Amino acid sequence: MTQAYTQETRQLGDAPRRSGSRIGRLLDRLRNDRGIWRRGLVLAAIAVLLTLVMIFHADIPNRVGNLGSLLETFLPWLGLALPVLLVLGLVRRSASAVLALVLPVAVWLNLFGGLMFSDKSGSGGELTVVTHNVNAENADPAGTAEDVAGSGADVVALEELTGAAVPTYERALAGTYRYHTVQGTVGLWSKYPLSGTKPVDIKLGWTRALRTTVATPRGEVGVYVAHLPSVRVKFNAGFTAGQRDASAEALGQAISRERLRKVILLGDLNGTMNDRALAPVTAQMRSAQGAAGDGFGFSWPASFPMARIDQIMVRGVDPVAAWALPKTGSDHLPLAASVDY
């Protein structure tokens, strides 16, 4: 009787049982999946191609539609492909695709991780500057001027000024800035005296750049304000940037001849720091955002900023902080930076 009970109990206990964790069972299935390395080879190839594009972006030629400059303008946005490739690789259960993704992730972090994940901005600063493309079609120039004046900047550069709007800006800024100059479609307002003001020829046939000396309490600073020609993306012509590139060359030459050691460039350069076409300028100056900013500091378009085509660049001074100001009536965001000099 006892023996029969024991056998019956053992038979009941022999019912199949699930062993191990859910993750363990998943790993077991993956280990036994013979196609895990063969699937997703196309995704792996795309990841490798993305890596090569980011590494060798400077070698992509501009001969056809300025493709290289177009890519460099929006280069950080290639990072959006990374989570997409990851999800597709997981859906396909492809070890090849997921492993290959390590390459573009590492390169993207090397290029932009410092901007994306670190805040280099400090506090203080002996001089605060602002640049703003106010938009020729701005319906509220007075409000835009009040916003800019409220930033507390010592020096303000405005681009895309129209003859009709200049008096409005002059009236709105007069109470904060005693000194100002307007040359063509660009202007500078300052709390400190200006001298040696002159237009800068950037090969356009009309004035869209100026140079002046700002007599700050700690010495003279050469300040340039520039608005380089616009670029367009056209299906039949690609990235039309030839005129912008020629103006960048002329601006770079003018800055290289600057006699003052301390120099600040403010303006809408219609290009990012990654764009090789701006090398005549970027090769001799530092980006305030790159040196002391928080994040990418995109400035255009104001409704959904995708690129930093407005720039504050310095030579002979030390950026302390750089940031974007709130939206005004323009299609660009104003940018600010504080520096020690």
Side-chain angles (χ1 to χ4, degrees), residues 23-327:
I23 294 178
R25 293 193 298 273
L26 176 61
L27 292 176
D28 286 339
R29 285 200 300 271
L30 293 177
R31 278 195 295 267
N32 296 325
D33 185 351
R34 296 180 179 180
I36 193 170
W37 292 103
R38 293 195 296 269
R39 287 193 302 269
L41 293 181
V42 172
L43 293 175
I46 292 174
V48 173
L49 178 61
L50 184 62
T51 302
L52 295 175
V53 167
M54 289 191 289
I55 292 176
F56 299 108
H57 65 86
D59 296 316
I60 296 175
N62 262 343
R63 289 189 298 273
V64 180
N66 284 295
L67 181 60
S69 287
L70 175 60
L71 171 67
E72 288 165 338
T73 299
F74 300 102
L75 192 61
W77 291 94
L78 291 182
L80 291 179
L82 302 179
V84 175
L85 290 174
L86 176 60
V87 170
L88 292 176
L90 293 175
V91 170
R92 288 283 291 152
R93 290 186 299 168
S94 168
S96 300
V98 174
L99 187 61
L101 196 58
V102 172
L103 297 174
V105 168
V107 173
W108 191 91
L109 289 175
N110 181 63
L111 290 173
F112 304 112
L115 288 173
M116 184 71 175
F117 301 112
S118 66
D119 181 0
K120 300 178 289 296
S121 60
S123 58
E126 298 165 332
L127 183 73
T128 300
V129 297
V130 163
T131 182
H132 191 24
N133 179 325
V134 296
N135 188 1
E137 299 178 1
N138 192 328
D140 184 22
T144 297
E146 291 175 5
D147 291 339
V148 171
S151 68
D154 302 299
V155 175
V156 170
L158 301 182
E159 303 88 46
E160 209 166 297
L161 294 168
T162 64
V166 165
T168 301
Y169 286 106
E170 289 177 330
R171 287 192 299 270
L173 295 172
T176 305
Y177 302 98
R178 181 177 177 183
Y179 308 94
H180 85 280
T181 179
V182 175
Q183 303 286 324
T185 61
V186 296
L188 187 80
W189 277 258
S190 172
K191 294 179 179 179
Y192 307 120
L194 306 177
S195 64
T197 302
K198 61 181 181 181
V200 175
D201 182 9
I202 55 173
K203 309 303 180 185
L204 287 176
W206 70 97
T207 302
R208 284 180 36 155
L210 67 82
R211 181 265 175 214
T212 191
T213 298
V214 179
T216 74
R218 294 179 58 84
E220 295 183 337
V221 178
V223 177
Y224 287 76
V225 182
H227 182 194
L228 299 189
S230 299
V231 296
R232 297 287 186 271
V233 180
K234 300 180 180 179
F235 288 109
N236 61 342
F239 193 55
T240 58
Q243 196 173 36
R244 188 278 311 268
D245 299 351
S247 290
E249 178 69 30
L251 178 62
Q253 291 176 359
I255 293 173
S256 69
R257 295 189 294 267
E258 174 59 48
R259 63 179 180 81
L260 292 178
R261 185 180 66 84
K262 302 172 183 177
V263 184
I264 299 176
L265 169 63
L266 307 166
D268 175 3
L269 303 190
N270 271 306
T272 68
M273 293 296 294
N274 294 315
D275 191 337
R276 74 196 68 175
L278 298 187
V281 177
T282 58
Q284 55 182 320
M285 305 190 80
R286 284 200 298 165
S287 164
Q289 180 69 25
D294 178 12
F296 290 104
F298 294 148
S299 63
W300 177 88
S303 57
F304 187 81
M306 297 182 64
R308 185 183 177 88
I309 62 174
D310 303 274
Q311 304 293 344
I312 298 176
M313 303 179 66
V314 301
R315 187 178 74 193
V317 303
D318 296 319
V320 174
W323 63 97
L325 295 171
K327 188 179 184 300

